[in-house]
Amino acid sequence: MKNFEKDDQELQVENETFFSKSMQRRNFLQYAGASAAGIALVAAGCKKDDNFNRGIDLGTGDIGILNYAYALEQLEAAFYTQVALTPYASISSTESAYMTAIRDHEVAHREFFKAALGNSAIPGLEVDFSSINFASRDSVLASAKAFEDLGVTAYNGAGYLIKSADYLTLAGKIVSVEARHAALIRDLITPGTFVGPDVVDANAVNNSRTPIEVLTMAKKYIVTEINASNLPS
Amino acid sequence: MDFLKILKDIETIDPEITDRLNPRRAAIKNITSFGSKVALSALPFALGTLFNKAYGQTSNSVNDVLNFALTLEYLESEFYIKGNSSLAFTTGTAGNSAAAAALKQIQADESAHVTFLVNTIKANNGTPVTKPNFDFTANGTFNDVFENYATYLAVAQVFEDTGVRAYKGQAPNLLGNKVYLTAALGIHAVEARHASHIRQMRRAFAASGVTGVITPWISLGANGQANDSGVPAADDNFKGEDNVMQGGLDVTTLNGATTGTKTSKKIAVESFDEPLSKEAVSAIAGMFIKP
Protein backbone atom coordinates (compact mmCIF):
# COMPACT_ATOMS: atom_id res chain seq x y z
CA MET A 1 0.00 0.00 0.00
CA LYS A 2 2.84 2.36 0.68
CA ASN A 3 3.91 2.11 -2.93
CA PHE A 4 0.43 2.80 -4.16
CA GLU A 5 0.32 5.88 -2.01
CA LYS A 6 3.58 7.16 -3.35
CA ASP A 7 2.48 6.53 -6.91
CA ASP A 8 -0.71 8.38 -6.24
CA GLN A 9 1.08 11.40 -4.91
CA GLU A 10 3.48 11.54 -7.81
CA LEU A 11 0.69 11.21 -10.30
CA GLN A 12 -1.23 13.92 -8.54
CA VAL A 13 1.55 16.38 -9.17
CA GLU A 14 1.77 15.39 -12.81
CA ASN A 15 -1.90 15.15 -13.48
CA GLU A 16 -4.42 16.99 -11.36
CA THR A 17 -7.32 15.11 -12.86
CA PHE A 18 -5.92 11.78 -11.82
CA PHE A 19 -6.50 12.79 -8.25
CA SER A 20 -10.23 13.03 -8.53
CA LYS A 21 -10.32 9.76 -10.41
CA SER A 22 -8.35 7.98 -7.73
CA MET A 23 -10.63 9.46 -5.08
CA GLN A 24 -13.63 8.15 -6.91
CA ARG A 25 -12.02 4.79 -7.15
CA ARG A 26 -11.35 4.78 -3.41
CA ASN A 27 -14.89 5.78 -2.63
CA PHE A 28 -16.07 2.99 -4.85
CA LEU A 29 -13.81 0.45 -3.19
CA GLN A 30 -14.87 1.51 0.26
CA TYR A 31 -18.51 1.03 -0.45
CA ALA A 32 -18.57 -1.67 -3.11
CA GLY A 33 -19.50 -5.03 -1.71
CA ALA A 34 -17.75 -7.72 0.30
CA SER A 35 -14.90 -8.62 -2.07
CA ALA A 36 -13.66 -5.04 -2.07
CA ALA A 37 -14.21 -4.56 1.64
CA GLY A 38 -10.89 -6.19 2.51
CA ILE A 39 -8.97 -3.84 0.26
CA ALA A 40 -10.91 -0.89 1.58
CA LEU A 41 -9.98 -1.75 5.13
CA VAL A 42 -6.28 -1.89 4.22
CA ALA A 43 -6.64 1.43 2.43
CA ALA A 44 -8.28 2.91 5.49
CA GLY A 45 -5.38 1.68 7.58
CA CYS A 46 -2.83 3.41 5.34
CA LYS A 47 -4.60 6.69 4.89
CA LYS A 48 -6.85 8.15 7.48
CA ASP A 49 -9.74 10.23 6.27
CA ASP A 50 -9.44 10.49 2.52
CA ASN A 51 -12.74 12.24 2.11
CA PHE A 52 -12.45 14.90 4.79
CA ASN A 53 -15.97 14.16 5.92
CA ARG A 54 -15.35 13.53 9.61
CA GLY A 55 -13.44 15.26 12.38
CA ILE A 56 -13.40 18.97 13.11
CA ASP A 57 -16.06 20.65 11.01
CA LEU A 58 -14.78 23.72 9.14
CA GLY A 59 -18.36 24.87 8.74
CA THR A 60 -20.40 26.21 5.87
CA GLY A 61 -20.30 29.26 3.59
CA ASP A 62 -17.77 32.02 4.17
CA ILE A 63 -17.17 30.86 7.74
CA GLY A 64 -16.10 27.49 6.37
CA ILE A 65 -13.67 29.10 3.92
CA LEU A 66 -12.24 31.34 6.65
CA ASN A 67 -11.77 28.31 8.91
CA TYR A 68 -10.07 26.53 6.02
CA ALA A 69 -7.67 29.48 5.71
CA TYR A 70 -7.26 29.50 9.50
CA ALA A 71 -6.28 25.82 9.40
CA LEU A 72 -3.59 26.49 6.78
CA GLU A 73 -2.28 29.54 8.64
CA GLN A 74 -2.08 27.44 11.81
CA LEU A 75 0.05 24.94 9.93
CA GLU A 76 2.38 27.59 8.49
CA ALA A 77 2.68 29.45 11.80
CA ALA A 78 3.53 26.23 13.64
CA PHE A 79 6.15 25.35 11.05
CA TYR A 80 7.97 28.69 11.15
CA THR A 81 7.70 28.82 14.94
CA GLN A 82 9.64 25.56 15.02
CA VAL A 83 12.15 26.90 12.46
CA ALA A 84 12.75 29.95 14.67
CA LEU A 85 13.06 27.77 17.80
CA THR A 86 15.51 25.31 16.23
CA PRO A 87 17.24 27.14 13.36
CA TYR A 88 18.99 24.94 10.80
CA ALA A 89 22.74 24.48 10.92
CA SER A 90 24.82 27.59 10.13
CA ILE A 91 21.81 29.71 9.24
CA SER A 92 22.96 33.14 8.00
CA SER A 93 21.82 36.27 9.77
CA THR A 94 19.91 37.31 6.65
CA GLU A 95 18.05 34.01 6.41
CA SER A 96 17.43 34.02 10.16
CA ALA A 97 15.83 37.46 9.85
CA TYR A 98 13.73 36.25 6.90
CA MET A 99 12.51 33.17 8.80
CA THR A 100 11.65 35.23 11.86
CA ALA A 101 9.75 37.79 9.78
CA ILE A 102 7.79 35.11 7.93
CA ARG A 103 6.98 33.43 11.26
CA ASP A 104 5.65 36.75 12.54
CA HIS A 105 3.51 37.22 9.42
CA GLU A 106 2.03 33.73 9.66
CA VAL A 107 1.32 34.15 13.37
CA ALA A 108 -0.39 37.47 12.57
CA HIS A 109 -2.51 35.70 9.95
CA ARG A 110 -3.37 32.91 12.40
CA GLU A 111 -4.25 35.29 15.21
CA PHE A 112 -6.27 37.43 12.83
CA PHE A 113 -8.44 34.51 11.69
CA LYS A 114 -8.83 33.27 15.23
CA ALA A 115 -10.05 36.68 16.40
CA ALA A 116 -12.17 37.34 13.32
CA LEU A 117 -13.89 33.95 13.53
CA GLY A 118 -14.53 34.25 17.28
CA ASN A 119 -16.89 31.53 18.44
CA SER A 120 -16.99 30.03 14.94
CA ALA A 121 -13.25 29.33 14.93
CA ILE A 122 -12.08 25.73 14.78
CA PRO A 123 -9.83 24.72 17.67
CA GLY A 124 -6.05 24.59 17.45
CA LEU A 125 -4.83 21.78 15.20
CA GLU A 126 -2.26 19.20 16.17
CA VAL A 127 0.60 19.17 13.68
CA ASP A 128 3.10 16.47 12.73
CA PHE A 129 6.44 17.69 11.40
CA SER A 130 8.22 14.35 11.90
CA SER A 131 8.97 14.21 8.16
CA ILE A 132 10.94 17.48 8.35
CA ASN A 133 14.56 17.65 9.50
CA PHE A 134 14.71 21.05 11.15
CA ALA A 135 18.51 20.81 11.42
CA SER A 136 18.80 20.69 7.64
CA ARG A 137 18.55 23.84 5.54
CA ASP A 138 17.49 21.77 2.52
CA SER A 139 14.71 20.04 4.41
CA VAL A 140 13.41 23.24 6.02
CA LEU A 141 13.46 25.29 2.82
CA ALA A 142 11.88 22.48 0.78
CA SER A 143 9.08 22.27 3.34
CA ALA A 144 8.70 26.04 3.44
CA LYS A 145 8.44 26.09 -0.35
CA ALA A 146 5.78 23.38 -0.26
CA PHE A 147 3.76 25.25 2.37
CA GLU A 148 3.98 28.65 0.66
CA ASP A 149 3.25 27.46 -2.86
CA LEU A 150 0.40 25.34 -1.49
CA GLY A 151 -0.98 28.33 0.43
CA VAL A 152 -1.05 30.46 -2.71
CA THR A 153 -2.94 27.81 -4.68
CA ALA A 154 -5.31 27.32 -1.74
CA TYR A 155 -6.34 30.97 -1.53
CA ASN A 156 -6.57 31.25 -5.32
CA GLY A 157 -8.73 28.15 -5.56
CA ALA A 158 -11.08 29.19 -2.75
CA GLY A 159 -11.48 32.82 -3.87
CA TYR A 160 -14.55 32.27 -6.02
CA LEU A 161 -16.29 30.35 -3.21
CA ILE A 162 -16.31 33.46 -1.01
CA LYS A 163 -19.62 35.32 -0.98
CA SER A 164 -18.60 38.49 0.85
CA ALA A 165 -16.57 41.10 -1.03
CA ASP A 166 -14.91 42.11 2.23
CA TYR A 167 -13.74 38.57 2.98
CA LEU A 168 -12.54 38.16 -0.60
CA THR A 169 -10.46 41.33 -0.25
CA LEU A 170 -9.06 40.06 3.04
CA ALA A 171 -8.06 36.79 1.39
CA GLY A 172 -6.45 38.84 -1.37
CA LYS A 173 -4.51 40.88 1.18
CA ILE A 174 -3.05 37.70 2.63
CA VAL A 175 -2.43 35.64 -0.51
CA SER A 176 -0.10 38.20 -2.09
CA VAL A 177 2.00 38.14 1.08
CA GLU A 178 2.12 34.35 0.81
CA ALA A 179 3.20 34.69 -2.82
CA ARG A 180 5.97 37.08 -1.77
CA HIS A 181 7.08 34.48 0.80
CA ALA A 182 6.91 31.72 -1.80
CA ALA A 183 9.08 33.66 -4.25
CA LEU A 184 11.64 34.42 -1.56
CA ILE A 185 11.87 30.84 -0.30
CA ARG A 186 12.24 29.54 -3.85
CA ASP A 187 14.98 32.10 -4.52
CA LEU A 188 16.76 30.99 -1.35
CA ILE A 189 16.75 27.42 -2.64
CA THR A 190 17.74 28.30 -6.23
CA PRO A 191 18.17 31.98 -7.15
CA GLY A 192 15.85 33.04 -9.95
CA THR A 193 13.16 30.41 -9.34
CA PHE A 194 10.64 32.89 -7.85
CA VAL A 195 8.26 31.76 -10.56
CA GLY A 196 8.33 28.65 -12.70
CA PRO A 197 6.35 26.09 -14.66
CA ASP A 198 5.64 24.09 -11.51
CA VAL A 199 3.56 26.95 -10.09
CA VAL A 200 2.17 28.78 -13.13
CA ASP A 201 0.43 27.68 -16.31
CA ALA A 202 1.36 28.53 -19.92
CA ASN A 203 -0.32 31.94 -19.52
CA ALA A 204 1.89 32.80 -16.53
CA VAL A 205 -1.17 32.50 -14.30
CA ASN A 206 -0.54 30.97 -10.85
CA ASN A 207 -2.13 27.56 -10.31
CA SER A 208 -5.05 27.05 -7.96
CA ARG A 209 -6.30 24.05 -6.01
CA THR A 210 -9.59 22.99 -4.50
CA PRO A 211 -9.85 22.67 -0.71
CA ILE A 212 -9.85 18.88 -0.95
CA GLU A 213 -6.73 18.87 -3.12
CA VAL A 214 -5.00 21.22 -0.67
CA LEU A 215 -6.06 19.29 2.43
CA THR A 216 -4.95 16.05 0.82
CA MET A 217 -1.47 17.48 0.29
CA ALA A 218 -1.38 19.08 3.76
CA LYS A 219 -2.70 16.15 5.74
CA LYS A 220 0.64 14.45 6.30
CA TYR A 221 1.45 17.47 8.48
CA ILE A 222 -1.90 17.64 10.29
CA VAL A 223 -2.82 15.00 12.89
CA THR A 224 -6.25 16.44 13.65
CA GLU A 225 -8.95 15.12 11.34
CA ILE A 226 -10.69 17.86 9.38
CA ASN A 227 -14.21 17.73 8.02
CA ALA A 228 -14.40 19.86 4.88
CA SER A 229 -17.62 18.31 3.58
CA ASN A 230 -19.74 21.35 4.41
CA LEU A 231 -17.56 23.82 2.52
CA PRO A 232 -19.19 25.49 -0.47
CA SER A 233 -18.19 24.11 -3.84
CA MET B 1 -37.21 51.44 -29.80
CA ASP B 2 -38.44 48.01 -30.78
CA PHE B 3 -37.97 45.77 -27.79
CA LEU B 4 -39.19 42.72 -29.59
CA LYS B 5 -36.51 43.28 -32.21
CA ILE B 6 -33.88 43.77 -29.51
CA LEU B 7 -34.88 40.52 -27.90
CA LYS B 8 -34.85 38.81 -31.27
CA ASP B 9 -31.37 40.20 -32.00
CA ILE B 10 -30.08 39.00 -28.68
CA GLU B 11 -31.66 35.64 -29.35
CA THR B 12 -29.40 35.23 -32.38
CA ILE B 13 -26.39 35.58 -30.04
CA ASP B 14 -27.90 33.96 -26.98
CA PRO B 15 -30.65 31.53 -27.93
CA GLU B 16 -31.52 31.09 -24.28
CA ILE B 17 -32.16 34.74 -23.60
CA THR B 18 -35.88 34.33 -23.10
CA ASP B 19 -35.29 31.42 -20.77
CA ARG B 20 -32.82 33.49 -18.82
CA LEU B 21 -35.25 36.37 -18.58
CA ASN B 22 -38.17 34.20 -17.70
CA PRO B 23 -38.57 30.45 -17.80
CA ARG B 24 -41.99 30.97 -19.25
CA ARG B 25 -41.01 31.86 -22.80
CA ALA B 26 -44.51 32.81 -23.76
CA ALA B 27 -44.77 35.38 -21.03
CA ILE B 28 -41.72 37.32 -22.15
CA LYS B 29 -42.47 36.94 -25.84
CA ASN B 30 -45.78 38.62 -25.13
CA ILE B 31 -44.26 42.02 -24.72
CA THR B 32 -47.63 43.68 -24.89
CA SER B 33 -48.79 42.08 -21.70
CA PHE B 34 -45.46 42.92 -20.09
CA GLY B 35 -45.76 46.50 -21.30
CA SER B 36 -49.27 46.81 -20.06
CA LYS B 37 -48.06 46.37 -16.51
CA VAL B 38 -45.15 48.81 -16.78
CA ALA B 39 -45.39 52.45 -17.74
CA LEU B 40 -43.93 52.90 -21.21
CA SER B 41 -41.37 55.47 -20.01
CA ALA B 42 -40.05 52.98 -17.45
CA LEU B 43 -39.49 50.26 -20.03
CA PRO B 44 -35.81 50.82 -20.74
CA PHE B 45 -35.09 50.66 -17.02
CA ALA B 46 -37.27 47.61 -16.56
CA LEU B 47 -35.53 45.89 -19.45
CA GLY B 48 -32.13 46.79 -18.00
CA THR B 49 -33.13 45.27 -14.70
CA LEU B 50 -34.29 42.15 -16.46
CA PHE B 51 -30.94 41.81 -18.21
CA ASN B 52 -29.02 42.30 -14.99
CA LYS B 53 -31.12 39.61 -13.41
CA ALA B 54 -30.55 37.34 -16.37
CA TYR B 55 -26.78 37.68 -16.53
CA GLY B 56 -25.89 38.80 -13.00
CA GLN B 57 -22.31 39.90 -13.54
CA THR B 58 -22.60 41.27 -17.04
CA SER B 59 -19.90 40.34 -19.48
CA ASN B 60 -19.43 44.09 -19.84
CA SER B 61 -18.32 44.55 -16.25
CA VAL B 62 -16.01 41.55 -16.51
CA ASN B 63 -14.47 42.93 -19.70
CA ASP B 64 -14.05 46.32 -18.03
CA VAL B 65 -11.97 44.67 -15.34
CA LEU B 66 -10.00 42.65 -17.91
CA ASN B 67 -9.33 45.73 -20.06
CA PHE B 68 -8.17 47.67 -17.03
CA ALA B 69 -5.81 44.79 -16.25
CA LEU B 70 -4.70 44.66 -19.88
CA THR B 71 -3.65 48.32 -19.80
CA LEU B 72 -1.46 47.63 -16.78
CA GLU B 73 0.03 44.53 -18.39
CA TYR B 74 0.81 46.55 -21.54
CA LEU B 75 2.60 49.03 -19.31
CA GLU B 76 4.66 46.37 -17.55
CA SER B 77 5.34 44.32 -20.65
CA GLU B 78 6.60 47.26 -22.70
CA PHE B 79 8.65 48.52 -19.76
CA TYR B 80 10.62 45.28 -19.53
CA ILE B 81 10.92 44.89 -23.30
CA LYS B 82 12.49 48.35 -23.54
CA GLY B 83 14.59 48.03 -20.43
CA ASN B 84 15.89 44.57 -21.16
CA SER B 85 16.90 45.52 -24.69
CA SER B 86 19.41 47.90 -23.19
CA LEU B 87 22.51 45.80 -22.61
CA ALA B 88 23.81 48.21 -19.99
CA PHE B 89 21.45 46.63 -17.47
CA THR B 90 22.32 43.07 -18.13
CA THR B 91 26.06 43.03 -18.62
CA GLY B 92 29.12 44.52 -17.01
CA THR B 93 29.19 46.08 -13.60
CA ALA B 94 25.61 47.24 -13.40
CA GLY B 95 23.97 43.89 -13.65
CA ASN B 96 24.82 40.23 -13.92
CA SER B 97 23.56 37.20 -15.74
CA ALA B 98 21.21 36.19 -12.91
CA ALA B 99 19.63 39.63 -12.91
CA ALA B 100 19.32 39.55 -16.68
CA ALA B 101 17.67 36.14 -16.60
CA ALA B 102 15.21 37.23 -13.92
CA LEU B 103 14.25 40.37 -15.83
CA LYS B 104 13.75 38.34 -19.00
CA GLN B 105 11.57 35.87 -17.08
CA ILE B 106 9.41 38.70 -15.78
CA GLN B 107 9.20 40.21 -19.26
CA ALA B 108 8.01 36.86 -20.62
CA ASP B 109 5.38 36.58 -17.87
CA GLU B 110 4.03 40.08 -18.52
CA SER B 111 3.86 39.43 -22.26
CA ALA B 112 2.04 36.17 -21.55
CA HIS B 113 -0.45 38.11 -19.41
CA VAL B 114 -1.05 40.54 -22.29
CA THR B 115 -1.74 37.71 -24.73
CA PHE B 116 -3.91 35.87 -22.22
CA LEU B 117 -6.02 38.95 -21.44
CA VAL B 118 -6.44 39.89 -25.11
CA ASN B 119 -7.63 36.36 -25.92
CA THR B 120 -9.86 36.19 -22.86
CA ILE B 121 -11.57 39.50 -23.64
CA LYS B 122 -12.15 38.43 -27.24
CA ALA B 123 -13.53 35.08 -26.11
CA ASN B 124 -15.87 36.99 -23.80
CA ASN B 125 -17.20 38.98 -26.78
CA GLY B 126 -15.32 42.11 -25.78
CA THR B 127 -12.91 44.42 -27.55
CA PRO B 128 -9.41 44.54 -26.06
CA VAL B 129 -8.10 48.07 -25.54
CA THR B 130 -5.22 49.06 -27.77
CA LYS B 131 -1.77 49.53 -26.30
CA PRO B 132 -1.27 53.12 -25.16
CA ASN B 133 1.88 55.11 -25.94
CA PHE B 134 4.02 55.11 -22.84
CA ASP B 135 6.39 57.61 -21.33
CA PHE B 136 8.42 55.64 -18.78
CA THR B 137 10.17 58.79 -17.56
CA ALA B 138 6.74 59.86 -16.20
CA ASN B 139 7.17 63.26 -17.79
CA GLY B 140 10.73 63.66 -16.52
CA THR B 141 10.36 62.15 -13.04
CA PHE B 142 12.49 59.12 -14.00
CA ASN B 143 14.62 60.61 -16.77
CA ASP B 144 17.34 57.97 -16.56
CA VAL B 145 14.97 54.98 -16.26
CA PHE B 146 16.59 53.15 -19.18
CA GLU B 147 20.14 54.34 -18.50
CA ASN B 148 20.43 53.88 -14.75
CA TYR B 149 20.02 50.35 -13.37
CA ALA B 150 19.01 51.68 -9.94
CA THR B 151 16.20 53.77 -11.43
CA TYR B 152 15.11 50.87 -13.63
CA LEU B 153 14.80 48.52 -10.65
CA ALA B 154 13.05 51.20 -8.59
CA VAL B 155 10.42 51.79 -11.27
CA ALA B 156 10.08 48.01 -11.77
CA GLN B 157 9.36 47.56 -8.08
CA VAL B 158 6.79 50.34 -8.08
CA PHE B 159 5.06 48.78 -11.11
CA GLU B 160 4.96 45.30 -9.57
CA ASP B 161 3.76 46.41 -6.15
CA THR B 162 1.13 48.62 -7.78
CA GLY B 163 0.07 45.77 -10.06
CA VAL B 164 -0.55 43.59 -7.00
CA ARG B 165 -2.67 46.36 -5.47
CA ALA B 166 -4.60 46.91 -8.69
CA TYR B 167 -5.62 43.27 -9.15
CA LYS B 168 -6.54 43.03 -5.47
CA GLY B 169 -8.75 46.10 -5.81
CA GLN B 170 -10.64 44.54 -8.72
CA ALA B 171 -11.30 41.17 -7.08
CA PRO B 172 -14.69 42.18 -5.62
CA ASN B 173 -15.87 43.09 -9.14
CA LEU B 174 -15.38 39.43 -10.06
CA LEU B 175 -16.95 38.06 -6.85
CA GLY B 176 -18.06 34.44 -7.18
CA ASN B 177 -16.83 34.17 -10.76
CA LYS B 178 -14.92 30.89 -10.95
CA VAL B 179 -13.30 31.51 -14.32
CA TYR B 180 -12.36 35.19 -14.26
CA LEU B 181 -11.76 35.69 -10.53
CA THR B 182 -9.56 32.60 -10.36
CA ALA B 183 -7.56 33.81 -13.37
CA ALA B 184 -7.24 37.32 -11.93
CA LEU B 185 -6.09 35.92 -8.59
CA GLY B 186 -3.61 33.76 -10.47
CA ILE B 187 -2.09 36.80 -12.19
CA HIS B 188 -2.23 38.73 -8.89
CA ALA B 189 -0.04 36.06 -7.27
CA VAL B 190 2.47 36.12 -10.12
CA GLU B 191 2.78 39.91 -9.83
CA ALA B 192 3.45 39.40 -6.11
CA ARG B 193 6.16 36.86 -6.94
CA HIS B 194 7.72 39.38 -9.31
CA ALA B 195 7.51 42.12 -6.70
CA SER B 196 9.22 39.87 -4.18
CA HIS B 197 12.07 39.12 -6.56
CA ILE B 198 12.58 42.70 -7.79
CA ARG B 199 12.70 43.78 -4.15
CA GLN B 200 15.39 41.16 -3.50
CA MET B 201 17.30 42.44 -6.53
CA ARG B 202 17.15 45.99 -5.20
CA ARG B 203 18.36 44.77 -1.83
CA ALA B 204 21.25 42.92 -3.45
CA PHE B 205 22.23 45.86 -5.64
CA ALA B 206 24.66 47.84 -3.54
CA ALA B 207 24.26 51.00 -5.62
CA SER B 208 20.46 50.98 -5.43
CA GLY B 209 20.61 54.31 -3.64
CA VAL B 210 18.12 53.08 -1.04
CA THR B 211 18.68 53.86 2.62
CA GLY B 212 17.81 50.90 4.81
CA VAL B 213 16.94 47.36 3.79
CA ILE B 214 14.36 46.54 1.13
CA THR B 215 12.32 43.47 2.11
CA PRO B 216 10.53 41.08 -0.29
CA TRP B 217 7.25 42.30 1.23
CA ILE B 218 5.90 45.81 1.65
CA SER B 219 7.10 47.02 5.04
CA LEU B 220 6.87 50.28 6.92
CA GLY B 221 8.96 53.00 5.28
CA ALA B 222 11.40 55.33 6.98
CA ASN B 223 9.85 57.30 9.84
CA GLY B 224 6.81 55.02 9.71
CA GLN B 225 5.60 56.18 6.32
CA ALA B 226 3.48 53.97 4.07
CA ASN B 227 5.98 54.12 1.20
CA ASP B 228 8.89 51.75 1.89
CA SER B 229 10.28 51.89 -1.67
CA GLY B 230 12.69 54.76 -1.16
CA VAL B 231 11.12 56.40 -4.22
CA PRO B 232 9.45 59.61 -2.96
CA ALA B 233 7.68 60.10 -6.30
CA ALA B 234 5.83 56.83 -5.64
CA ASP B 235 4.08 57.94 -2.44
CA ASP B 236 0.67 57.56 -4.10
CA ASN B 237 1.52 54.01 -5.16
CA PHE B 238 1.98 52.98 -1.52
CA LYS B 239 -0.68 55.18 0.03
CA GLY B 240 -2.58 53.20 2.68
CA GLU B 241 -0.06 50.36 2.88
CA ASP B 242 0.54 51.38 6.52
CA ASN B 243 -3.00 50.25 7.40
CA VAL B 244 -3.28 47.99 10.47
CA MET B 245 -7.09 47.64 10.60
CA GLN B 246 -8.26 44.38 9.01
CA GLY B 247 -11.89 43.29 8.97
CA GLY B 248 -12.63 45.73 11.79
CA LEU B 249 -9.77 44.36 13.92
CA ASP B 250 -6.66 46.27 14.88
CA VAL B 251 -3.92 43.75 14.09
CA THR B 252 -1.54 45.43 16.56
CA THR B 253 -3.84 44.31 19.40
CA LEU B 254 -3.42 40.64 18.42
CA ASN B 255 -0.93 38.31 20.09
CA GLY B 256 2.56 38.32 18.63
CA ALA B 257 4.76 35.31 17.92
CA THR B 258 6.60 35.56 21.23
CA THR B 259 4.64 34.87 24.40
CA GLY B 260 3.41 38.00 26.09
CA THR B 261 3.96 40.26 23.07
CA LYS B 262 1.52 41.96 20.71
CA THR B 263 1.93 42.21 16.94
CA SER B 264 4.11 45.21 16.10
CA LYS B 265 2.92 47.81 13.62
CA LYS B 266 5.71 46.75 11.25
CA ILE B 267 4.56 43.13 11.26
CA ALA B 268 0.91 44.17 10.98
CA VAL B 269 1.78 46.22 7.88
CA GLU B 270 3.91 43.49 6.32
CA SER B 271 1.35 40.74 6.89
CA PHE B 272 -1.40 42.31 4.80
CA ASP B 273 -1.05 43.91 1.35
CA GLU B 274 -3.59 46.63 0.62
CA PRO B 275 -5.81 47.03 -2.46
CA LEU B 276 -5.94 50.15 -4.60
CA SER B 277 -9.00 51.50 -6.41
CA LYS B 278 -9.25 51.64 -10.19
CA GLU B 279 -9.31 55.44 -9.98
CA ALA B 280 -6.11 55.60 -7.92
CA VAL B 281 -4.32 53.11 -10.16
CA SER B 282 -5.48 54.91 -13.30
CA ALA B 283 -4.17 58.21 -11.96
CA ILE B 284 -0.79 56.62 -11.26
CA ALA B 285 -0.62 54.71 -14.54
CA GLY B 286 -1.74 57.85 -16.35
CA MET B 287 1.55 59.51 -15.46
CA PHE B 288 3.27 56.94 -17.68
CA ILE B 289 0.84 57.25 -20.59
CA LYS B 290 1.27 59.88 -23.30
CA PRO B 291 -1.93 61.83 -23.89
Side-chain angles (χ1 to χ4, degrees):
Chain A
M1 282 316 288
K2 270 217 136 54
N3 284 338
F4 286 150
E5 266 181 60
K6 193 158 178 279
D7 287 345
D8 273 7
Q9 279 169 5
E10 282 167 4
L11 279 165
Q12 245 168 281
V13 176
E14 283 168 22
N15 183 358
E16 296 285 342
T17 58
F18 177 84
F19 167 69
S20 52
K21 282 180 189 151
S22 82
M23 288 297 288
Q24 284 162 7
R25 184 176 51 98
R26 275 210 188 91
N27 283 347
F28 174 74
L29 285 176
Q30 281 179 4
Y31 296 107
S35 60
I39 303 165
L41 280 172
V42 179
C46 285
K47 311 199 104 190
K48 43 183 194 196
D49 182 9
D50 267 342
N51 303 312
F52 299 98
N53 56 10
R54 60 169 187 261
I56 288 172
D57 187 0
L58 295 177
T60 60
D62 282 357
I63 294 294
I65 298 297
L66 294 181
N67 264 323
Y68 166 56
Y70 177 40
L72 296 177
E73 296 295 349
Q74 285 191 43
L75 180 62
E76 288 189 304
F79 169 73
Y80 287 106
T81 297
Q82 188 61 49
V83 174
L85 271 175
T86 53
Y88 46 80
S90 6
I91 188 170
S92 71
S93 59
T94 301
E95 289 185 8
S96 177
Y98 277 150
M99 293 300 153
T100 307
I102 298 176
R103 174 200 65 181
D104 292 351
H105 302 160
E106 306 297 5
V107 167
H109 293 162
R110 181 191 69 198
E111 293 302 310
F112 167 74
F113 281 118
K114 187 180 179 186
L117 282 158
N119 290 335
S120 304
I122 56 168
L125 301 175
E126 190 188 336
V127 295
D128 174 6
F129 294 142
S130 58
S131 60
I132 301 166
N133 177 4
F134 284 92
S136 153
R137 181 179 185 271
D138 286 354
S139 176
V140 168
L141 291 184
S143 305
K145 174 183 160 189
F147 287 137
E148 299 291 354
D149 281 337
L150 184 66
V152 174
T153 61
Y155 279 100
N156 284 353
Y160 83 96
L161 299 172
I162 299 174
K163 294 276 179 278
S164 148
D166 289 342
Y167 292 153
L168 173 61
T169 300
L170 269 168
K173 288 174 175 217
I174 293 173
V175 67
S176 56
V177 174
E178 304 292 353
R180 290 171 187 273
H181 291 167
L184 169 64
I185 298 288
R186 293 168 64 94
D187 281 335
L188 291 179
I189 295 170
T190 309
T193 58
F194 53 101
V195 68
D198 60 322
V199 287
V200 301
D201 66 16
N203 296 311
V205 176
N206 208 109
N207 300 334
S208 60
R209 286 190 179 92
T210 66
I212 295 298
E213 287 171 333
V214 169
L215 290 171
T216 301
M217 293 176 77
K219 77 173 174 184
K220 79 185 250 201
Y221 305 106
I222 303 176
V223 177
T224 314
E225 285 196 326
I226 292 176
N227 179 357
S229 65
N230 295 312
L231 289 185
S233 60
Chain B
M1 211 185 289
D2 183 347
F3 291 104
L4 278 173
K5 185 176 182 304
I6 292 174
L7 280 175
K8 215 173 156 49
D9 286 349
I10 295 173
E11 231 175 5
T12 61
I13 302 164
D14 180 358
E16 286 166 2
I17 178 66
T18 46
D19 290 336
R20 284 177 196 270
L21 291 168
N22 190 325
R24 285 154 55 222
R25 276 179 85 94
I28 196 69
K29 277 276 172 66
N30 189 352
I31 199 81
T32 323
S33 101
F34 176 67
S36 71
K37 286 173 194 148
V38 186
L40 203 61
S41 59
L43 256 179
F45 175 76
L47 203 58
T49 310
L50 272 177
F51 283 147
N52 280 340
K53 260 190 182 163
Y55 289 100
Q57 237 154 26
T58 64
S59 56
N60 259 352
S61 68
V62 168
N63 284 336
D64 283 349
V65 172
L66 299 179
N67 262 323
F68 171 59
L70 176 58
T71 305
L72 297 177
E73 297 293 349
Y74 274 136
L75 174 79
E76 290 185 307
S77 166
E78 180 129 318
F79 172 75
Y80 290 109
I81 289 170
K82 287 202 168 170
N84 292 351
S85 66
S86 171
L87 286 174
F89 298 135
T90 54
T91 58
T93 52
N96 56 54
S97 59
L103 289 164
K104 284 198 180 92
Q105 174 68 55
I106 296 175
Q107 176 192 322
D109 289 346
E110 307 299 7
S111 296
H113 292 163
V114 166
T115 307
F116 174 66
L117 287 169
V118 164
N119 291 338
T120 305
I121 292 165
K122 282 181 181 166
N124 197 32
N125 297 318
T127 309
V129 290
T130 52
K131 188 175 71 178
N133 290 315
F134 295 111
D135 167 21
F136 292 108
T137 73
N139 204 20
T141 307
F142 305 107
N143 264 329
D144 58 353
V145 61
F146 293 133
E147 284 90 45
N148 184 328
Y149 187 59
T151 309
Y152 184 55
L153 286 186
V155 174
Q157 186 204 307
V158 170
F159 280 168
E160 298 294 348
D161 281 334
T162 305
V164 174
R165 302 193 70 179
Y167 276 96
K168 205 188 315 295
Q170 289 306 300
N173 290 331
L174 302 171
L175 189 71
N177 195 321
K178 184 176 184 179
V179 173
Y180 298 108
L181 176 61
T182 307
L185 288 174
I187 299 178
H188 171 249
V190 170
E191 301 296 342
R193 288 175 183 273
H194 292 168
S196 174
H197 190 78
I198 294 280
R199 283 170 163 267
Q200 292 176 64
M201 288 173 72
R202 285 189 82 206
R203 176 182 181 143
F205 184 51
S208 68
V210 181
T211 318
V213 173
I214 295 277
T215 53
W217 35 82
I218 298 175
S219 188
L220 261 188
N223 306 313
Q225 60 174 323
N227 179 2
D228 75 331
S229 70
V231 185
D235 275 356
D236 282 350
N237 300 63
F238 293 91
K239 198 174 178 181
E241 281 288 1
D242 56 343
N243 175 41
V244 297
M245 294 299 296
Q246 304 297 348
L249 289 167
D250 181 344
V251 177
T252 64
T253 65
L254 301 175
N255 286 335
T258 318
T259 312
T261 63
K262 295 293 178 191
T263 305
S264 69
K265 180 170 184 184
K266 180 169 171 282
I267 293 301
V269 165
E270 290 176 355
S271 302
F272 295 82
D273 281 346
E274 298 298 321
L276 209 52
S277 72
K278 186 177 181 180
E279 291 68 31
V281 174
S282 298
I284 293 164
M287 296 191 299
F288 294 91
I289 296 175
K290 286 181 193 163

